[in-house]
Amino acid sequence: MEVILIFISAVLVNNFVLSYFLGICPFIGVSERIESSVSMGFAVTFVLTLSAAITWLINNYILIAFNVPFLQYVSFIIVIAALVQFVEMFIRKTSKTLYDALGIYLPLITTNCAILGLALFGALRAYSFIENIVFGIGAGLGFTLALVIMAGIREELDLADVPEPLKGAAITLIIAGLLALAFMGFAGLISV
Amino acid sequence: MAAKDDRKSVGVEFVKGFWKENPILVMLLGMCPTLAVTTSVINGLTMGLAVVFVLTCSSLIVSIVRNIIPKQVRIPVFIVIIATFVTMVDLFLKAFLLDLSKALGPFIPLIVVNCIILGRAEAFASKKGVFLSVVDALGVSFGFTITLIILGGIREVLGMRTFFGHPVLGEGFEPWIVMLLPPGAFITLGLLLGVKNSIDKRLKEKRSR
Amino acid sequence: MNRRLKMLLIMTLFACISGGVLSLVYLISAPLIEANMLEEERRSILNVVPGIDSYEERIEGEMKYFECKDASGFVVGYALPAKGNGYQGVIKLMVGLTPDLSEITGISILEQVETPGLGGRISEQVFQDQFQGIKTEPAVGYVKNQAPDKDTDIQAVTGATISSRSVVTIINRNIVKFREIL
């Protein structure tokens, strides 16, 4: 039950992009076409899930076990950078199609705040191993959802008559604001 | 002559961060802390100063060691340097300013992945000398701080009727709570971008005339 | 090979320097951080159980609580640290109780990440003060948009029922658990 709550909360109620502002850079940069948003979304979900598992192990079996909490940020970010590199190499070797679809997005993921954010939130909330992985998958799907909705709107926006100074990033942010407002409606979905 | 050029470029490197290359409004970098912590001026200011410290220190170190780092591993090394300074800020806040540290929560550690810092390390400090790198870092990070203060100011005044915790709007003004919520953050920043764009356009028209 | 070795050496070097510097900073700041936490704990205990002279930490199974005594050594109440889920994240608070646990002497919200301006108002003194003198039997409750008429009820923050309810739930759950061990 707890696990389902964590999942729904990460996808809808506390959506990483729209309520924690994590992963805004790709949200604004990549969300111009639906196809590229879907690819980016899945690349991020994949890395999020993996890093949720690995950072949990590091946090519990190294940082807490050896009582060196102050190395948390340094070790998390190194692991994430290495993980992204490894995933990129692995995909390049094994699947050409997958690499073509995700390839260019992978290097961007290291500095995607969502990955480190997930590791930090997971550690802060002291989730169990399974809960942390579910949290990772949920956060990834929530990110994908927000990205795809945004891309859908922006494709239509090409035809709209936006006031000159608001063109580009400004109108994207305002739309994101309206989306965030809509997502707040999910808040009542979960009650304690 | 060379000295004069240097002095001029120091000024240019410092000032550009405030308007022409403002990290938030022009380069759209570091959005995540920008939006998340600007619910009040004091939060924005603290986050800004934390970034000033981290960016300046890491630019300094990166520009000193840039020649001994092999190209292939520069990004991991930069990240380690940045994460080290971020941890210092975090420990400092926890030791001396516990309440602020709680208010900013996980957004202090998230400075590590603030693209502004890695971006400056990669684009500037890894190529230029120590002095210019520090000046560039100071300019960009103060530009960042000021933008955070403006954003935090607007949101705090409209959302809580206060500025730096002091009441500025009368009781008759019903606070717009939405300004403190995520939608308010997105919309305020979007409008701020629009304002900057239209000022830029005015300036350009004036100049061409 | 040589170049790889150099890369490896440089990275190890930087990692070691970083680790060393951080350990040093941590060694200096850890006592301060610890003192901060203890001070906050002390302040919140004195806040929720009025008129006490000393307190003692007790640990019973998974529960931690503070036995509060007056100047002559009588137990005048308990302070119970509690936490649970709020609307957006974890709420941590301290509850003060009379020795027979029938009445709340005060609460203090220690940590919360509720929506500023709405749920965040559970941190306001006005909300916390309502809990003084609230009866815990059969359970603490809440009412919306009106002054409560039962001595077990508090009034929820307007527009933030979920956060208010979370606080009440956390308190109830911990009092029930505490009754079992006492």
Side-chain angles (χ1 to χ4, degrees), chain C residues 96-142:
Chain C
L97 294 161
T98 52
D100 60 352
L101 310 189
S102 67
E103 200 178 305
I104 294 175
T105 51
I107 70 160
S108 175
I109 306 279
L110 303 177
E111 261 178 75
Q112 50 95 359
V113 285
E114 305 303 285
T115 323
L118 290 170
R121 290 176 57 199
I122 57 171
S123 284
E124 285 180 7
Q125 208 51 48
V126 187
F127 178 75
Q128 300 186 23
D129 282 349
Q130 289 190 69
F131 284 87
Q132 272 169 28
I134 291 288
K135 299 271 185 288
T136 63
E137 304 267 8
V140 184
Y142 65 94

Side-chain angles (χ1 to χ4, degrees), chain B residues 24-186:
Chain B
I24 299 174
L25 297 179
V26 178
M27 301 197 283
L28 302 175
L29 294 175
M31 300 299 244
C32 127
T34 308
L35 295 162
V37 304
T38 51
T39 48
S40 71
V41 186
I42 186 76
N43 287 358
L45 179 66
T46 315
M47 175 53 102
L49 293 181
V51 168
V52 170
F53 173 77
V54 174
L55 182 53
T56 313
C57 294
S58 47
S59 280
L60 177 73
I61 302 288
V62 165
S63 67
I64 290 174
V65 300
R66 72 197 149 120
N67 290 325
I68 61 161
I69 302 173
K71 223 173 156 205
Q72 298 87 337
V73 294
R74 66 181 195 287
I75 301 281
V77 171
F78 293 171
I79 290 180
V80 169
I81 295 173
I82 295 168
T84 309
F85 285 114
V86 170
T87 312
M88 283 185 200
V89 170
D90 189 55
L91 289 173
F92 173 84
L93 286 178
K94 275 190 189 138
F96 295 104
L97 299 162
L98 191 61
D99 288 338
L100 273 174
S101 155
K102 275 187 190 165
L104 297 175
F107 289 97
I108 286 290
L110 282 172
I111 297 177
V112 177
V113 282
N114 189 325
C115 340
I116 296 175
I117 296 175
L118 193 60
R120 285 339 276 177
E122 167 80 355
F124 205 100
S126 66
K127 300 195 180 76
K128 301 270 171 68
V130 175
F131 182 62
L132 271 189
S133 302
V134 169
V135 170
D136 169 76
L138 284 172
V140 168
S141 52
F142 274 111
F144 179 73
T145 310
I146 288 187
T147 319
L148 287 191
I149 292 176
I150 295 174
L151 206 57
I154 296 174
R155 290 179 67 192
E156 191 183 334
V157 167
L158 295 178
M160 285 191 289
R161 289 193 299 230
T162 60
F163 186 77
F164 261 118
H166 299 292
V168 285
L169 291 179
E171 285 290 317
F173 181 83
E174 183 66 28
W176 304 356
I177 285 169
V178 71
M179 292 304 284
L180 301 176
L181 305 176
F186 283 114

Side-chain angles (χ1 to χ4, degrees), chain C residues 159-170:
Chain C
T161 316
I162 301 180
S163 300
S164 311
R165 181 172 61 205
S166 307
V167 173
V168 169
T169 312
I170 294 167

Side-chain angles (χ1 to χ4, degrees), chain C residues 84-96:
Chain C
N85 286 326
Y87 175 66
Q88 284 191 309
V90 174
I91 299 177
K92 282 189 190 166
L93 49 83
M94 183 77 79
V95 201

Side-chain angles (χ1 to χ4, degrees), chain C residues 6-63:
Chain C
K6 191 187 167 201
M7 272 162 51
L8 210 66
L9 271 177
I10 294 266
M11 285 181 63
T12 322
L13 179 73
F14 273 95
C16 290
I17 295 176
S18 150
V21 170
L22 284 184
S23 326
L24 206 70
V25 175
Y26 184 71
L27 278 182
I28 300 168
S29 59
L32 285 167
I33 295 174
E34 177 88 48
N36 258 340
M37 306 273 208
L38 283 179
E39 171 60 23
E40 189 182 38
E41 194 176 83
R42 193 185 72 88
R43 226 183 312 141
S44 66
I45 293 172
L46 294 186
N47 202 2
V48 296
V49 189
I52 63 169
D53 191 61
S54 64
Y55 61 85
E56 224 173 291
E57 185 181 313
R58 294 281 165 87
I59 292 172
E60 194 92 36
E62 278 187 6
M63 271 204 113

